[in-house]
Amino acid sequence: MDKRILEIGNWPPPVCGWSMGLVGLRKELESRGWDCQVMNLNENRRVRSPYYIDVQSGWDYVSKVARLVWRGYAVHVRVNGETKKGFLLALAALLLARLARRPALLTYAGGHRQSYFPAPKRSLRYLAFSLLFRIPQRIYCNSPAVKSVLLTTCIPAERVEPIPHFSSNYVKFTPTALPAEVVEFCRSHEGVFFSYVCFRKEFALDLLAEAIRRFHKAFPKVGFLLVGIPEREKDFIRKFLREKKVEDAVCVLGSVPHDTFLTLLTESLAYIRTPLTDGICSSVLESLNLKVPVLAADNGTRPPGTRLWREGDLKSLLTLMTEVVENHAAMVAEIPDIVVEDNAKKLADSIEQVSLKTGLAGDPREVGVGN
């Protein structure tokens, strides 16, 4: 069998849960002798690189996927229920793979409560995702809760395999020197809260800003690190923080390398996680593994050890934040040990199994894809 696969998803930078999972999976597949090409859909997708296939436009995407499946590559693409564009990209890639009689694999990387899915039966959204889920030979998801939602489309249960994205490579890091602005910010505060945010509705920034404003008034020596903001969103975030009158309490950072991300976590009092759409979030598990308390909006699938606050309930969040400051050692002691499995290996095992069963017919013709 000629082991070739096209992995379609996010490649760093910037670093996110999707990109971390793809980095680990590619390493695992290549160690098994796979020719693993990556088509990058991240913010840096138009930047040409020897590490991935760039994407310049929609037509460029379709033409490159088509040329690769013609050469004999299986396709593994990622999607969630938050963007229409991502849905169309996944649909196109899977259809091209099936038309070329190549293995077609899908990872549904969303949680069990997202904007477009699940959807009411017979709605356009329901019909669209039902179609999408019927194309691949195997669908991977993050948890049994997400699998249950996928099965509402009446696809065969054996086609859906829950394999968490979080894997042992996520917690391997080397502590790094922090940026000077962060060092100075931490030095001027007795402690800092950490939060990964973007300027999107699911991050509930209005609620987070109000929590910061009220908490900083009561605890002026405590600061907040907001990390992960894309460059294009930094001006919006800073303007937003000025309007909310909390800019003095906040240090804003963009996307940072994974080692720096985890180093920042270890320096924090706690991690505040606001989205509900994320399912079992990798950064939540990273925090708990590092024995950093996590205060997360309750979406029904948070791991044991997470301290939960109710959606939209500012008072419950502020109560937990106060407990962090006043009883930090006790909260840390309550965090259970996190079992970290090699889920990249499990995913690679399944990909090989499906591909062997489906058949991978490699084409010896070398047709350049063009990076």
Side-chain angles (χ1 to χ4, degrees), residues 131-303:
L131 169 63
L132 180 70
F133 296 153
R134 279 164 172 75
I135 301 172
Q137 285 100 349
R138 185 64 55 86
I139 301 173
Y140 302 106
C141 61
N142 209 14
S143 70
V146 178
K147 178 175 179 176
S148 296
V149 168
L150 300 182
L151 295 182
T152 62
T153 60
C154 300
I155 56 176
E158 63 271 15
R159 192 180 295 179
V160 184
E161 186 173 356
I163 300 178
H165 304 149
F166 188 68
S167 193
S168 53
N169 66 296
Y170 282 53
V171 293
K172 296 176 181 176
F173 79 107
T174 302
T176 63
L178 296 176
E181 60 181 309
V182 177
V183 173
E184 180 57 32
F185 185 79
C186 291
R187 186 178 294 150
S188 62
H189 292 84
E190 293 177 356
V192 295
F193 284 91
F194 178 99
S195 191
Y196 178 88
V197 301
C198 292
F199 203 74
R200 299 198 299 268
K201 64 177 183 178
E202 61 263 34
F203 286 91
L205 289 177
D206 283 319
L207 182 138
L208 180 60
E210 182 62 14
I212 292 173
R213 188 187 70 80
R214 295 194 187 188
F215 193 82
H216 189 65
K217 188 175 181 179
F219 297 91
K221 289 296 185 179
V222 175
F224 296 81
L225 289 172
L226 302 187
V227 180
I229 298 98
E231 284 299 320
R232 67 177 185 274
E233 295 179 2
K234 278 188 174 180
D235 289 342
F236 294 105
I237 286 285
R238 291 193 173 103
K239 180 182 178 183
F240 173 81
L241 295 174
R242 284 196 300 271
E243 291 173 350
K244 297 295 182 179
K245 297 180 172 55
V246 296
E247 70 272 24
D248 292 341
V250 178
C251 179
V252 175
L253 292 176
S255 175
V256 297
H258 189 243
D259 284 359
T260 303
F261 185 91
L262 295 187
T263 303
L264 288 167
L265 271 177
T266 62
E267 297 293 326
S268 303
L269 291 169
Y271 176 29
I272 300 174
R273 182 69 184 174
T274 55
L276 290 166
T277 59
D278 53 353
I280 300 175
C281 175
S282 296
S283 58
V284 167
L285 290 168
E286 287 171 331
S287 299
L288 295 174
N289 182 74
L290 294 169
K291 301 297 182 182
V292 175
V294 177
L295 318 181
D298 187 1
N299 64 8
T301 59
R302 298 299 185 191

Side-chain angles (χ1 to χ4, degrees), residues 4 6 37 39 48 53-54 59-75 92-93 96-97 100 102 361-371:
R4 301 178 178 185
L6 171 63
Q37 299 293 320
M39 183 165 288
R48 300 182 189 276
I53 299 167
D54 60 281
W59 171 247
D60 185 53
Y61 171 82
V62 171
S63 63
K64 286 176 177 177
V65 173
R67 289 156 72 181
L68 281 164
V69 298
W70 179 252
R71 288 172 55 187
Y73 283 80
V75 169
L96 287 168
R102 310 302 183 197
D363 191 325
R365 288 173 289 182
E366 293 297 327
V367 182
V369 176
N371 287 343

